[in-house]
Amino acid sequence: MPVLVMKFGGTSVATLDRIRRAAKRVGVEVSKGYDVIVIVSAMAGKTNELVGYVNETSPLYDAREYDAVVSSGENVTAGLMALTLQEMDVPARSWQGWQVPLITTSAHSAARIEDIPTDNINTKFAEGMRVAVVAGFQGISPDGRITTLGRGGSDTTAVAFAAAFEAERCDIYTDVDGVYTTDPRIASKARKLDKIAFEEMLELASLGAKVLQTRSVELAMRYNVKLRVLSSFEEQSDDAGTLVCAEEEIMESNVVSGIAYSRDEAKMTLVSVADRPGIAAAIFGPLSDAGVNVDMIIQNIAEEGRTDMTFSCPTDQVKRAEKALLDARTNGEINYHDLIADTDVAKISAVGIGMRSQSGVAAKMFKTLSDEGVNIKVIATSEIKISVLVDRKYMELAVQALHDVFELDKTA
Ligand code: ADP
Ligand code: ASP
Ligand code: MG
């Protein structure tokens, strides 16, 4: 029988009522003749609560134990979803990641999926089971420890299952009815897109649009998974939501197709480091070893052999970054006068494949922010995106102003 993957995010399984509603939707697909793999997230807010427990217990925690704790939310919803389906007379059972087994790397809290053997679940399908409910976000490392795939990782579990089982489609059910030109929660003029290209979705996701985890888009692109984002709260037709697809499938699009933001950024400046060959490696090596995800980097012009180095990273990694740099200074690997952490910044990005062929987007973006009195602290660009760091208090204003100036509320 054809296989369908249906993923339900945290808000879609936040209460027993919502789990029932999601299960009904699964039942509809089963009655159409699909074998369904349901991927569930933890109930809304659960993972944050678990992360909070870990941070309170151990600020520089052992990532293996972090994973043991934060993966547990999904176990609850997987079991409850299977029970709910059974109550509806749909033959179903739950799987935790290790039972599949969903094998990952050992990079705890940011593990990558290595393999999903299909035999276990396929044997059950062959015996008449119609729904395999799998706990999202979690897996098992080669040395037998529980791993997690990074925040929002259930999306990636879903796409990986769709690829492994050659599913007809991977439907991501969430609390918005598709991918918008920007987060509809902060810009009321945001417009739902019927289709978005993989490359654009990849950039939007990696720049903060959390509707899909970045890695899930990467996998969908690589394995050509038919990926759709839609609402679990509304009745859905067969063409509802947003299809994430190849560029060639989209007829017209704006030069800028979306604005993304990332609220929890920090700007770190190392004041007065020696300007010598190897200094960047000496700074960013220890940061990388400490698991700090450095994003933007600027090195200032040197004066009298010394320079300032600025980089950005997520705010929750500031403590880790400070410790890594302090240790490197104590060990004599680097020398700096001061380390200044500005934890009140946000990153705003304009994304669009149209930028490849049209110039002037950056100029327009900078002019718009200047007209709004928003100071730009750091800039980074690539072929299809421009990102700026600004004071967090201007984040929503900046997103709305850019959405307006690039006329994203209108179709191309
Ligand atoms: P889930 O719990 O279902 O995984 P998430 O909270 O992870 O849901 O992702 C959905 C949220 O993503 C929406 O509620 C919305 O606020 C946010 N979001 C950010 N950018 C966008 C965008 N461009 N389009 C749609 N939603 C977006
Ligand atoms: N529950 C996990 C999180 O909140 C995974 C997910 O929802 O995708 O990050
Ligand atoms: Mg999510």
Side-chain angles (χ1 to χ4, degrees), residues 7-12 41 152 155 172-176 178-185 201 204 208-212 259 261:
K7 179 257 174 178
F8 294 92
T11 40
S12 310
S41 289
D155 298 329
I172 306 284
Y173 285 90
T174 182
D175 57 358
V176 282
V179 178
Y180 280 68
T181 48
T182 192
D183 188 348
R185 290 183 206 290
M201 192 62 240
L204 286 174
K210 66 173 183 157
V211 61
L212 285 174
I259 309 290
Y261 66 88

Side-chain angles (χ1 to χ4, degrees), residues 7 9-10 41-42 47-48 74 137 150-155:
K7 179 257 174 178
S41 289
T47 311
N48 284 346
E74 272 71 8
F137 181 50
R151 296 306 305 271
S154 299
D155 298 329

